[in-house]
Amino acid sequence: MNGIQVKNLVKTYTTQSTDIILNGAKRPSTTRTVLHGVSVDFPAGKLTAILGRSGCGKSTFLRCINRMNDLVDGCTTSGLLALDGVDIYHPRLDVVELRRRIGMVFQRPNPFPKSIYDNVAYGPRLAGGVGRAELDGIVETSL
């Protein structure tokens, strides 16, 4: 199938006991499943809007499609998520190329879980042909 195919997508976040301290005591590890078996097909070349109430998982779902949670500790994704028949969670998939092909617009800024420098430099790096000194200048001017 051309387009995006999603079958039984599950997104889970696990918080380690050392991550949460409440009233001076460490809390036990917690696991929270935020997407439960989502299945949907998006045909190629079509505009799609995802609507729903606040907190229902729209942004979490979009972050799955663009693999924006790859660097978030404790975040796991299971199920099939394919672009033009290719599993986007395959270990050899070029994530930068994936993000070139799948564009998203979020209602609020949604940075990658990286440093401010890396978030600002992401676009120029993606375009290529920019040396470190020029990249430093772009980031400094942008901030």
Side-chain angles (χ1 to χ4, degrees):
M1 175 198 153
N2 283 345
I4 298 173
Q5 179 185 27
V6 182
K7 297 290 179 212
N8 298 314
L9 180 69
V10 176
K11 173 66 88 182
T12 304
Y13 294 94
T14 300
T15 305
Q16 300 302 318
S17 61
T18 57
D19 293 343
I20 300 175
I21 298 177
L22 184 63
N23 296 329
K26 291 182 182 175
R27 304 283 297 181
S29 297
T30 58
T31 299
R32 183 169 179 220
T33 301
V34 293
L35 296 177
H36 304 266
V38 175
S39 295
V40 64
D41 292 332
F42 300 107
K46 300 290 182 181
L47 178 66
T48 301
I50 300 174
L51 306 172
R53 63 178 172 72
S54 178
C56 73
K58 300 177 301 290
S59 293
T60 298
F61 178 68
L62 291 174
R63 290 174 68 89
C64 290
I65 294 172
N66 226 8
R67 290 188 53 179
M68 292 180 70
N69 287 327
D70 284 7
L71 301 176
V72 176
D73 289 336
C75 182
T76 59
T77 304
S78 63
L80 172 70
L81 214 160
L83 173 63
D84 296 337
V86 176
D87 180 2
I88 70 165
Y89 280 91
H90 190 281
R92 293 188 185 156
L93 183 94
D94 182 347
V95 179
V96 173
E97 180 59 30
L98 171 72
R99 292 180 184 141
R100 277 189 183 123
R101 296 188 61 202
I102 300 176
M104 295 183 206
V105 178
F106 292 93
Q107 91 185 57
R108 291 193 184 114
N110 204 347
F112 293 109
K114 299 179 178 206
S115 70
I116 292 170
Y117 181 97
D118 286 337
N119 271 282
V120 173
Y122 186 79
R125 278 187 182 140
L126 188 64
V130 180
R132 178 66 186 205
E134 185 179 357
L135 198 55
D136 289 346
I138 291 169
V139 170
E140 186 175 335
T141 301
S142 298
L143 297 175

